[in-house]
Amino acid sequence: MKVNSKIALLALTATLSGLAHAEDLPTFQLDMSNGKVSPTRIEVPAGKRIKIAIKNSGTSAVEFESVQLRKEKVLAPGGESFVVIAPLDPGEYKFFDDFNQATGQGVIVAK
């Protein structure tokens, strides 16, 4: 096997491994739509990595953002994606739709 083929195979294996690992995480659903987020409160286990599956069911772009968690994700209308969050200490962590900050706010509560 050529060196380039080995590198490509290793990169593919690492990517698939990372995806499989993300799929095994406790997953919490978040819908963002035209300036609203649902649910506005997501309770998660403290001390465990989690995945927030985000869906934009609205007609305009949205941006999941949390300054406290250092996460952001832009989604086009109809788009779906996720963010993986490192283990959290007990507490509340705000998030918002950066394109609709006045109405699109929520909180992740780690217990």
Side-chain angles (χ1 to χ4, degrees):
M1 191 181 285
K2 293 182 181 179
V3 173
N4 287 342
S5 297
K6 287 182 181 180
I7 292 172
L9 182 58
L10 287 173
L12 178 61
T13 302
T15 300
L16 293 176
S17 174
L19 290 175
H21 188 67
E23 291 174 5
D24 295 341
L25 298 173
T27 302
F28 300 87
Q29 304 296 318
L30 177 64
D31 184 70
M32 302 179 79
S33 177
N34 302 323
K36 296 189 184 337
V37 298
S38 179
T40 57
R41 179 182 175 94
I42 302 172
E43 293 189 8
V44 303
K48 296 188 183 250
R49 283 175 26 123
I50 61 163
K51 180 168 85 169
I52 305 291
I54 308 163
K55 180 177 182 180
N56 179 0
S57 60
T59 57
S60 60
V62 298
E63 180 177 358
F64 171 90
E65 184 160 347
S66 174
V67 175
Q68 292 172 297
L69 299 173
R70 297 183 187 146
K71 296 288 182 184
E72 61 184 313
K73 181 73 72 168
V74 176
L75 296 173
E80 295 183 37
S81 190
F82 65 89
V83 293
V84 175
I85 299 173
L88 298 172
D89 290 330
E92 294 188 358
Y93 302 85
K94 295 178 182 178
F95 67 88
F96 54 94
D97 177 353
D98 197 27
F99 299 148
N100 298 283
Q101 291 184 28
T103 58
Q105 298 183 28
V107 64
I108 296 171
V109 180
K111 293 184 172 185

